[in-house]
Amino acid sequence: MTVNIASVSTQVSPFVAALERARNQQLPLGELFQIAEVLSGAGKQPQATELYKTWIAFNDTNPLLHLVYFNYAVSANQTGDAAGAIHALRACLKLDPLFGPAHINLGRVLEDCGLNHRAVEQWRSFAKATAEISPDRIGYRLMTLQHIGRVLEGAGLLEEAEAALWQAIELQPGKTEAGQHWTSLRQRQCKWPTLVTSEHVSARQLLDAMSPLILGCYADDPLFQLAKAYRYNKSLIGRPDLSGFPRPTPKQKSGTGERLRVGYVSSDLRDHAVGFALREVLELHDKRSVEVFAYYCGEPRANDATQMRIKNAVDCWRDIYALSDIEAAKQIRADEIDVLVDVNGYTKLARTKIFAYRPAPVIVNFCGYPGSMGSPFHQYIIADEHIIPPANEIYYSEKVLRIACDQPIDRKRQIAARPTRAEAGLPEDAFVYACLNGMQKITANCFKRWMTILSATPGSVLWLLAEAEDVNERLRQLAAQRGVDPERLIFAPKAANPNHLARIALADLFLDTFPYGAHSTAADAITVGLPVLTLPGKSFASRFCGSIVSAAGVPELICSGPDDYESRAIAFAHDRESLATIRDSLQRQRETSTLRDIPALARRLEYLFWQMQGEIERGETPVPDLRNLDVYYEIGAEIVLENVEFEDELAYRKRYLEKLAQWNDYAPLARDSRLLKEPMSLQN
């Protein structure tokens, strides 16, 4: 019994032990802060203050001593020791004269003591000391970091580029350029979750920084996509000075026999998916009906086969890369273009500001961008009934006109001899699922579905388009975490286009991505007879692949939801005969399908161009409805950050209407042509 009492009496409390370690320089800084925080949280501020004071007295050579003085000042002030807090903060600033938090807190303590003048002097001293950190200097640093990110990305050093851009984001989170590229880089690297926040950067700021195109890979929300495009146009394009640029007067051409002048503006009239898609259409335009001008705003190209074909197909080719926006607009106006087609939208090297000058009476969004432009000057969008069914027209600011299928193809594309599976690095007898979309389209949920499919189909493999090796390895590791042998992921290296087309046919089934599905890649797969399983949503980008599959004559490959997508992908691997039947159907319909009826597509485009011309001659040109889009943006941002991947149309609209009703309670909303076709008071 005596022994027990003695042992208890010699026990030392954690606080006393911490004090002893502080005196002996054996208490690390991180542990000091942790113990002091626990003491403060337990209402023992005096003990926390004593611990800080003791540590400072016996550890005065520590290079981070100023941080301890700062925390000691906070603790002292909490105990009512204003004088001790002031002494500690001044000691902190002697060690680090530019430590901003100490300047702020010292001013506040002085203010609390009634020394307002001294407080202002304190803050002014800090402002003076940091005068060299001007907006220009911050801007230069921001610009430098963005340039570093851009160059590293171009060199394929994606991790390093991402790190540089993150520094720029934290420097000024409200600036969108760095955030836009940072998010895009994370999508390319399959880094999930895509949006990662910090103390300085919120998820909302990162969402605000996304471009409309990047958003298409992130969420299936066409209302927010429209609002994002509208906001992007306002901030990026703005309202140009039109004082010296009067709007051209439409000409009377209907019924005159005079040709309609149609201009296509694009940076992609070259060896590019858009160039491949358009070149035969341009060759097939009826030159008795339309006079075709091509305005190329991309970088100069040498020996580009697609560009040479397009130059030979059009009536007039103009390189406008070196021209300013207003100079290009003046050239288009001088050419007396009647209908101007924007084939870029908000994609790389787009020259959207040219259209803001309204150099032609009619401006059309077609072929290059999967969504609404949300601009005041794009009057029409050309799509099809699968991508934009009538009920979905509310998601577009333009008037919707339709062709049979929105994906033109070139029936003359060269396809190399088909390699063997061994030559393509594929197992001979395995069931090969393929997704040869860019990796930026792969989401965490999409990859999870694929792993479920592989787990249910032993021996199958997934064939993906290769990225940087560290990205490929990340996907292998994620597969292993899902219980899938990483060797079942096979990566296809880059290949010349004819060779790439030839090897696609080696797969058994193409698995589409969601929410941004395959576009030209789906058309390529169908062209060589590979069935494409797709999951359409509500947005343009998510419905495009379904349009291609339907136009190819195999609508049975369009799934109703994620569960249906998984079950059907699995079923095809277990019942290869059913898949062979679909392959046979694709082959039988190949030359007669809507997808390959390019002459009819060219005639339909000409009909629509003349329809637009007739409407403007009659004063019936549509005016884009941009009402309430700032409100739709705020509501859409809330909804997107709730991370709902897939929902039906009814549930989707209900969520918006509920939030619109809440907004209307705060500030009544005007009616528009979308969900607010009638005042909210009548809807509720």
Side-chain angles (χ1 to χ4, degrees):
M1 187 68 176
T2 304
V3 174
N4 290 338
I5 294 172
S7 65
V8 171
S9 65
T10 58
Q11 285 181 354
V12 178
S13 72
F15 170 64
V16 173
L19 284 176
E20 186 63 23
R21 292 173 64 199
R23 290 190 188 98
N24 295 323
Q25 298 183 344
Q26 295 176 349
L27 184 62
L29 197 64
E31 195 172 345
L32 165 68
F33 291 153
Q34 184 179 16
I35 294 171
E37 184 178 352
V38 170
L39 290 169
S40 296
K44 299 178 180 179
Q45 279 88 0
Q47 289 188 3
T49 303
E50 181 67 16
L51 180 60
Y52 279 128
K53 185 168 66 173
T54 302
W55 196 95
I56 289 169
F58 293 94
N59 296 267
D60 60 334
T61 60
N62 190 287
L64 297 177
L65 183 62
H66 68 287
L67 296 178
V68 185
Y69 268 117
F70 178 79
N71 279 22
Y72 170 54
V74 172
S75 186
N77 198 47
Q78 288 174 344
T79 64
D81 183 9
I86 290 171
H87 282 302
L89 288 167
R90 285 175 175 161
C92 171
L93 289 172
K94 282 184 180 179
L95 294 170
D96 187 350
L98 293 180
F99 189 58
H103 283 280
I104 301 301
N105 279 17
L106 180 53
R108 290 298 302 272
V109 175
L110 291 169
E111 181 186 13
D112 290 341
C113 292
L115 303 173
N116 290 0
H117 179 69
R118 296 283 299 278
V120 171
E121 283 184 344
Q122 180 63 43
W123 291 327
R124 281 179 172 169
S125 71
F126 178 64
K128 183 178 179 180
T130 56
E132 75 280 5
I133 306 177
S134 62
D136 282 345
R137 288 181 181 271
I138 290 176
Y140 286 136
R141 176 169 171 75
L142 186 71
M143 193 181 304
T144 299
L145 290 168
Q146 289 175 168
H147 280 313
I148 291 170
R150 174 180 54 80
V151 173
L152 290 174
E153 181 182 2
L157 302 172
L158 305 187
E159 290 272 3
E160 292 91 334
E162 182 188 337
L165 290 171
W166 182 252
Q167 291 182 59
I169 294 168
E170 289 212 304
L171 185 65
Q172 286 195 305
K175 298 287 187 179
T176 60
E177 183 176 350
Q180 176 181 323
H181 289 282
W182 179 84
T183 307
S184 176
L185 273 175
R186 287 186 66 82
Q187 288 177 333
R188 279 185 60 190
Q189 296 176 89
C190 297
K191 286 190 172 181
W192 308 311
T194 302
L195 304 186
V196 178
T197 62
S198 75
E199 180 184 353
H200 308 292
V201 184
S202 68
R204 172 60 190 268
Q205 287 171 320
L206 294 172
L207 186 63
D208 287 344
M210 277 190 188
S211 73
L213 197 62
I214 294 170
L215 178 62
C217 295
Y218 187 76
D220 179 39
D221 190 328
L223 277 171
F224 187 55
Q225 189 83 26
L226 168 61
K228 167 68 79 171
Y230 166 73
R231 180 177 169 130
Y232 193 76
N233 189 280
K234 280 203 306 181
S235 62
L236 185 71
I237 310 303
R239 183 176 180 271
D241 181 4
L242 300 174
S243 57
F245 206 98
R247 194 174 301 185
T249 303
K251 294 187 176 183
Q252 183 71 35
K253 288 195 170 181
S254 298
T256 65
E258 190 176 353
R259 290 193 295 174
L260 195 66
R261 289 195 164 193
V262 177
Y264 289 86
V265 182
S266 177
S267 63
D268 300 324
L269 301 177
R270 55 184 176 84
D271 283 343
H272 179 278
V274 171
F276 298 151
L278 278 180
R279 56 192 180 188
E280 188 177 2
V281 172
L282 296 175
E283 289 170 340
L284 290 174
H285 268 318
D286 184 354
K287 298 305 179 60
R288 297 166 299 178
S289 175
V290 294
E291 186 177 1
V292 180
F293 288 67
Y295 298 93
Y296 178 63
C297 58
E299 295 173 345
R301 307 280 292 186
N303 304 315
D304 188 293
T306 296
Q307 195 161 98
M308 289 305 301
R309 274 183 64 182
I310 293 174
K311 284 182 177 181
N312 291 331
V314 300
D315 295 280
C316 180
W317 171 277
R318 296 198 187 279
D319 283 298
I320 60 171
Y321 177 75
L323 299 182
S324 68
D325 293 328
I326 191 167
E327 288 171 340
K330 286 179 178 178
Q331 179 63 68
I332 293 167
R333 177 166 179 166
D335 289 336
E336 299 183 323
I337 298 300
D338 300 299
V339 176
L340 190 63
V341 184
D342 183 355
V343 192
N344 265 125
Y346 300 125
T347 59
K348 188 177 180 180
L349 299 181
R351 298 284 296 277
T352 313
K353 200 163 188 176
I354 292 172
F355 300 92
Y357 287 103
R358 304 193 189 213
V362 174
I363 295 175
V364 189
N365 171 13
F366 172 59
C367 195
Y369 174 70
S372 176
M373 291 297 290
S375 89
F377 42 84
H378 287 80
Q379 301 136 327
Y380 297 91
I381 182 171
I382 296 176
D384 61 51
E385 65 178 5
H386 297 279
I387 295 173
I388 310 180
N392 287 18
E393 291 182 8
I394 64 170
Y395 304 143
Y396 301 84
S397 59
E398 306 93 335
K399 179 176 179 177
V400 180
L401 298 178
R402 295 176 177 85
I403 53 181
C405 177
D406 204 50
Q407 176 63 59
I409 63 169
D410 176 19
R411 297 170 299 172
K412 302 175 186 177
R413 286 182 74 177
Q414 293 184 352
I415 303 175
R418 184 183 299 184
T420 64
R421 278 193 166 185
E423 289 170 336
L426 296 171
E428 195 63 42
D429 298 324
F431 189 92
V432 177
Y433 294 106
C435 182
L436 300 173
N437 288 342
M439 281 198 180
Q440 74 277 7
K441 296 183 181 182
I442 304 174
T443 66
N445 286 324
C446 180
F447 191 76
K448 180 181 177 182
R449 279 191 286 274
W450 291 347
M451 295 305 99
T452 299
I453 292 166
L454 290 183
S455 296
T457 54
S460 66
V461 298
L462 177 61
W463 196 23
L464 301 171
L465 200 59
E467 244 295 348
E469 183 52 35
D470 61 329
V471 181
N472 302 343
E473 182 58 29
R474 178 174 297 110
L475 291 182
R476 292 189 189 101
Q477 292 173 3
L478 289 169
Q481 292 171 17
R482 292 276 176 187
V484 174
D485 183 349
E487 296 302 314
R488 293 175 67 187
L489 270 60
I490 300 172
F491 296 92
K494 290 183 179 179
N497 195 254
N499 301 95
H500 177 63
L501 284 171
R503 70 182 178 181
I504 292 174
L506 297 173
D508 291 294
L509 181 65
F510 189 105
L511 296 177
D512 195 19
T513 46
F514 181 88
Y516 199 125
H519 293 184
S520 59
T521 305
D524 291 345
I526 293 289
T527 294
V528 297
L530 175 61
V532 177
L533 191 70
T534 187
L535 169 61
K538 295 171 287 297
S539 61
F540 194 116
S542 74
R543 298 185 63 82
F544 202 121
C545 187
S547 168
I548 294 168
V549 168
S550 179
V554 284
E556 60 268 31
L557 290 172
I558 301 173
C559 301
S560 60
D563 292 342
D564 186 37
Y565 175 92
E566 285 183 13
S567 62
R568 294 174 71 180
I570 294 167
F572 279 129
H574 292 303
D575 182 7
R576 298 196 187 191
E577 288 186 8
S578 64
L579 195 57
T581 301
I582 292 176
R583 277 186 175 272
D584 290 343
S585 177
L586 279 174
Q587 186 60 37
R588 286 195 310 272
Q589 300 179 76
R590 187 176 191 273
E591 297 306 323
T592 58
S593 69
T594 300
L595 183 62
R596 293 182 68 81
D597 194 351
I598 308 305
L601 188 149
R603 298 292 83 75
R604 177 63 180 172
L605 280 175
E606 293 151 12
Y607 174 87
L608 293 180
F609 294 150
W610 276 106
Q611 177 182 332
M612 299 172 203
Q613 177 67 19
E615 289 181 359
I616 199 166
E617 289 174 4
R618 297 189 299 273
E620 298 172 359
T621 298
V623 176
D625 183 2
L626 306 177
R627 290 171 293 179
N628 296 326
L629 287 181
D630 287 319
V631 175
Y632 282 101
Y633 185 90
E634 294 300 319
I635 292 172
E638 289 180 23
I639 290 174
V640 167
L641 291 176
E642 291 170 4
N643 293 317
V644 176
E645 186 205 17
F646 185 91
E647 63 183 342
D648 63 36
E649 195 77 36
L650 185 61
Y652 170 73
R653 296 193 184 195
K654 182 181 178 183
R655 282 210 294 161
Y656 263 91
L657 283 168
E658 288 172 349
K659 291 181 181 290
L660 283 166
Q662 295 169 6
W663 195 285
N664 186 69
D665 284 343
Y666 171 72
L669 299 170
R671 66 180 66 191
D672 58 42
S673 60
R674 286 171 285 276
L675 296 181
L676 297 176
K677 293 183 179 179
E678 295 181 1
M680 288 299 295
S681 59
L682 297 181
Q683 292 180 349
N684 297 335

